[in-house]
Amino acid sequence: LYRTRLVRGSYRDQERPILVNNWEATYFDFNAEKILEIANAGSELGIELFVLDDGWFGKRDNDKSSLGDWFIDRQKLPEGLDNLASKVKDMGMEFGLWFEPEMVSVDSDLYREHPDWCLHVPKRLRSESRNQLILDLSREDVCEEITKQVCDILANVPISYVKWDMNRHMTEIGSAALPADRQRETAHRYMLGLYKVMETITTSFPHILFESCSGGGGRFDPGMLFYMPQVWTSDNTDAISRLKIQYGTSLVYPIVTMGSHVSAVPNHQVHRSTSMEMRGNVAMSGNLGYELDLTKITGEEKEIVKQQVAHYKEIRKLIQFGDFYRLQSPFEGNETAWLFTTKDKSEAIVYYFRVLAEPAAPTTGLKLKGIDVTKQYQVIGTDYVFGGDELSYVGLSIPANIHGDFQSYVWHLKACSE
């Protein structure tokens, strides 16, 4: 229902690109040269899209200023955003950009000029979170200004992807444009205004893939999916945490709507270290991306990333638009497993994850779902052939050579020809 009826636009049925985002690689500390170095490294590994995250506008050297001033920071990008995007495209990659259009910093030209444009209640404190306030999108004049600023950037830079963020919840939900007896309408009118802004922007730029974000998955809802066909699933990029995050999200939302990235270790949120293989297998279970400094990883890790990217391109359609089956829940034990299969059951890919090692663990079979019990399946890359009934009722054996914590394994199955 969500994937084929709620989601709309040219990207509804299109395979989503593999991206690299510079956020966890640089945060606010970057210049054009550093961005191009990361993009070039991504291009060499087969990555298709570079996304420039927060910090490219105003005087945005930290999270204390400039939201609402959507003008290029010439200190960081002296040749402009258009020049940077063109150089990225010359590398054979598409270019994407981060916005947080619904927000305003107190230290911004927009706020200094229009201090009444934020959600607030007169004579009450204006609570800041991440040093920002929320623009009052229940007001037509605010909606028009934000739409204009975003459209001006999108119309003049070769952008094919936008990450639309919203990094705080609503407080002091009042509007200077409404009388006292209508203040309770503000939150509802805010959403109507937001939808109007999104409708205008997304229809004006139908070639752009828009991804919603709200501190990660904080606003992963059907209303947003109508305008933006995918969502950044969570700001927590740790592979082990993501097992529960992505498993739980899959109960309601299609896999193709879930952004999932490989990040650096120790992970920046939980400080856990996992292998590149483990991180890749978790991230390949959604819309694959990378969020780390590709210029700093080892040659061996680069080769692993290159193989992951090439493999994901082969299985991308199956992952993003196939049928998804949950086999083992991370909420119920030490192991997690899920499976993707084509509609005709001719191909399947199975992911297995073990969080912690156990001494003398019992040998168990991973029973599969969603395959044809009348077919024979070969495990790609091996000589093994199993009957669909065997895979369903007995299962695959977990390899005995998986040792240590945070391990994963993948089987790629194809039905044998008659």
Side-chain angles (χ1 to χ4, degrees):
L1 174 67
Y2 284 6
R3 189 175 68 189
T4 63
R5 292 292 180 264
L6 177 67
V7 172
R8 58 178 185 158
S10 60
Y11 277 94
R12 186 191 71 179
D13 302 318
Q14 284 188 33
E15 295 177 20
R16 309 296 165 76
I18 303 168
L19 64 84
V20 57
N21 182 301
N22 72 296
W23 177 240
E24 289 193 20
T26 66
Y27 294 102
F28 297 103
D29 185 17
F30 64 83
N31 55 29
E33 289 73 24
K34 182 59 183 178
I35 293 302
L36 291 173
E37 287 176 7
I38 297 174
N40 186 62
S43 176
E44 292 176 348
L45 298 174
I47 294 174
E48 299 160 320
L49 167 68
F50 177 84
V51 180
L52 179 59
D53 212 279
D54 195 355
W56 58 267
F57 54 93
K59 299 175 182 177
R60 184 78 164 170
D61 296 322
N62 50 51
D63 65 5
K64 296 180 180 179
S65 75
S66 301
L67 289 172
D69 297 341
W70 298 106
F71 308 103
I72 299 157
D73 181 352
R74 294 283 175 173
Q75 294 294 318
K76 293 179 180 176
L77 307 174
E79 296 181 338
L81 203 56
D82 180 67
N83 179 272
L84 180 71
S86 296
K87 288 181 178 178
V88 170
K89 289 180 73 67
D90 288 343
M91 296 174 185
M93 304 177 75
E94 295 299 312
F95 183 77
L97 194 62
W98 179 96
F99 286 90
E100 195 170 5
E102 300 167 63
M103 300 295 157
V104 64
S105 302
V106 173
D107 182 8
S108 68
D109 293 341
L110 183 67
Y111 186 80
R112 282 184 283 270
E113 186 176 352
H114 300 285
D116 62 325
W117 274 17
C118 67
L119 293 178
H120 70 282
V121 176
K123 300 180 182 180
R124 300 286 182 90
L125 291 175
R126 302 184 182 191
S127 301
E128 296 179 38
S129 177
R130 202 174 181 247
N131 303 296
Q132 61 198 53
L133 299 168
I134 302 179
L135 289 169
D136 182 3
L137 297 187
S138 72
R139 296 177 55 154
E140 184 67 27
D141 50 356
V142 177
C143 291
E144 288 178 356
E145 176 62 24
I146 293 306
T147 300
K148 179 182 182 303
Q149 286 198 37
V150 174
C151 286
D152 284 348
I153 295 289
L154 299 183
N156 291 288
V157 181
I159 292 170
S160 63
Y161 168 101
V162 164
K163 179 181 177 183
W164 182 298
D165 216 335
M166 186 212 188
N167 276 312
R168 61 156 294 179
H169 59 281
M170 290 182 171
T171 55
E172 292 89 37
I173 308 175
S175 174
L178 291 174
D181 61 346
R182 296 179 60 194
Q183 287 297 319
R184 294 175 67 182
E185 300 175 14
T186 304
H188 181 68
R189 291 188 178 279
Y190 176 97
M191 291 309 301
L192 295 180
L194 173 63
Y195 290 158
K196 182 177 181 180
V197 170
M198 289 184 169
E199 176 74 24
T200 300
I201 294 174
T202 59
T203 55
S204 298
F205 302 94
H207 66 286
I208 293 178
L209 171 60
F210 288 85
E211 179 178 276
S212 175
C213 175
S214 181
R219 198 160 64 179
F220 206 142
D221 64 71
M224 300 307 291
L225 284 177
F226 182 73
Y227 298 101
M228 302 184 178
Q230 66 187 53
V231 179
W232 176 225
T233 317
S234 174
D235 277 350
N236 184 352
T237 56
D238 170 62
I240 304 306
S241 301
R242 277 292 186 127
L243 294 175
K244 289 183 177 179
I245 291 167
Q246 293 175 205
Y247 186 100
T249 302
S250 76
L251 293 170
V252 181
Y253 299 102
I255 296 298
V256 74
T257 65
M258 294 165 49
S260 184
H261 296 176
V262 175
S263 59
V265 292
N267 174 264
H268 292 188
Q269 291 81 46
V270 302
H271 306 286
R272 184 171 17 233
S273 292
T274 52
S275 68
M276 186 65 80
E277 290 88 346
M278 179 73 172
R279 284 174 275 158
N281 286 334
V282 174
M284 283 193 283
S285 299
N287 288 334
L288 175 63
Y290 293 83
E291 193 156 332
L292 71 168
D293 191 341
L294 295 173
T295 69
K296 293 182 178 180
I297 62 176
T298 67
E300 180 181 358
E301 288 174 323
K302 286 183 179 179
E303 186 58 34
I304 293 172
V305 171
K306 189 174 183 178
Q307 293 173 5
Q308 288 174 347
V309 169
H311 180 57
Y312 189 75
K313 289 176 181 178
E314 294 177 357
I315 64 172
R316 173 164 42 190
K317 185 175 182 179
L318 172 57
I319 298 295
Q320 296 180 358
F321 296 102
D323 289 338
F324 180 68
Y325 290 84
R326 290 166 288 272
L327 305 179
Q328 291 181 311
S329 170
F331 295 96
E332 297 175 0
N334 189 45
E335 299 171 304
T336 303
W338 46 59
L339 174 154
F340 301 86
T341 183
T342 55
K343 295 291 184 185
D344 63 2
K345 316 297 184 186
S346 64
E347 184 178 2
I349 189 161
V350 185
Y351 288 90
Y352 167 82
F353 308 94
R354 178 184 293 160
V355 176
L356 298 178
E358 295 181 355
T363 301
T364 58
L366 180 61
K367 297 180 181 180
L368 305 189
K369 301 176 183 177
I371 59 173
D372 190 336
V373 296
T374 68
K375 294 182 183 293
Q376 296 286 310
Y377 291 90
Q378 181 177 3
V379 181
I380 301 302
T382 75
D383 296 327
Y384 293 117
V385 176
F386 299 98
D389 51 353
E390 181 181 5
L391 294 170
S392 297
Y393 302 121
V394 178
L396 289 164
S397 295
I398 309 301
N401 61 352
I402 295 181
H403 301 297
D405 299 336
F406 315 139
Q407 298 295 316
S408 63
Y409 198 83
V410 183
W411 296 266
H412 191 176
L413 308 172
K414 284 193 176 180
C416 302
S417 57
E418 296 295 338

